[in-house]
Amino acid sequence: MMETNQQAQQTYAKMVEQTSPNSPIWKNCLLAYISGGLICTLGEWLSHLYLAMSFSKDESALLVSTTLIVLSAILTGFGIYGKLGKYCGAGTEVPITGFANSVVSPAIEYRSAGLVLGMAAKMFVLAGPVIVYGTATSVVVGIIYIWMGR
């Protein structure tokens, strides 16, 4: 007797549920919180360091962002950031370091296809949607902000 499409989908869903391991949600949340907090703490420490080196507040903020991006890119290049991401989860993906990782990872992965059609063409595969939707959202929020008379 042949199963209908709906029955096949239900059977497949049961098989997936039985074989998929349960996700340790509390552990994942705690690791994401701690790792994200450590990245932010590093940013604060860098900010204080740059301010102590007589940079202005604006220059310090720029240097902190740049330093975190460069560190993330270097750690991604050596394969360390990916291992941290697997262990720490979203805590490493949300800050600016995660954005840098999402640009560098595809560039490294596709470098064998050449500089133009490989690395350059694939560099923003992951980060591109973030840029597009982030920009679109900021335009919408700006229009609402203007419309409200602020």
Side-chain angles (χ1 to χ4, degrees), residues 17 22 29 34 39-40 57 79 85 103 106 128-129 137-138 140 147 150:
E17 187 177 321
N22 291 334
C29 288
I34 291 170
I39 292 170
C40 293
K57 192 170 183 174
V103 172
T137 301
S138 67
V140 170
W147 180 68
R150 304 277 171 166

Side-chain angles (χ1 to χ4, degrees), residues 105-120:
S105 290
I108 292 170
E109 184 177 343
Y110 291 101
R111 73 178 180 265
S112 62
L115 290 177
V116 175
L117 296 178
M119 192 172 74

Side-chain angles (χ1 to χ4, degrees), residues 131-147:
I131 294 169
V132 169
Y133 288 110
T135 303
T137 301
S138 67
V139 168
V140 170
V141 169
I143 290 170
I144 293 170
Y145 197 67
I146 291 170
W147 180 68

Side-chain angles (χ1 to χ4, degrees), residues 30-69:
L30 182 63
L31 286 173
Y33 180 79
I34 291 170
S35 60
L38 287 173
I39 292 170
C40 293
T41 302
L42 174 61
E44 274 299 308
W45 181 81
L46 287 169
S47 177
H48 290 289
L49 176 70
Y50 291 135
L51 288 170
M53 295 171 67
S54 299
F55 287 103
S56 71
K57 192 170 183 174
D58 289 339
E59 291 169 334
S60 175
L62 177 65
L63 287 169
V64 168
S65 297
T66 305
T67 303
L68 289 174
I69 289 169

Side-chain angles (χ1 to χ4, degrees), residues 69-70 72-78 97-111 119 122-124 126-127:
I69 289 169
V70 169
S72 173
I74 290 169
L75 291 174
T76 299
F78 285 114
T97 54
F99 182 76
N101 177 56
S102 72
V103 172
V104 175
S105 290
I108 292 170
E109 184 177 343
Y110 291 101
R111 73 178 180 265
M119 192 172 74
K122 300 293 185 178
M123 188 178 291
F124 291 101
L126 295 175

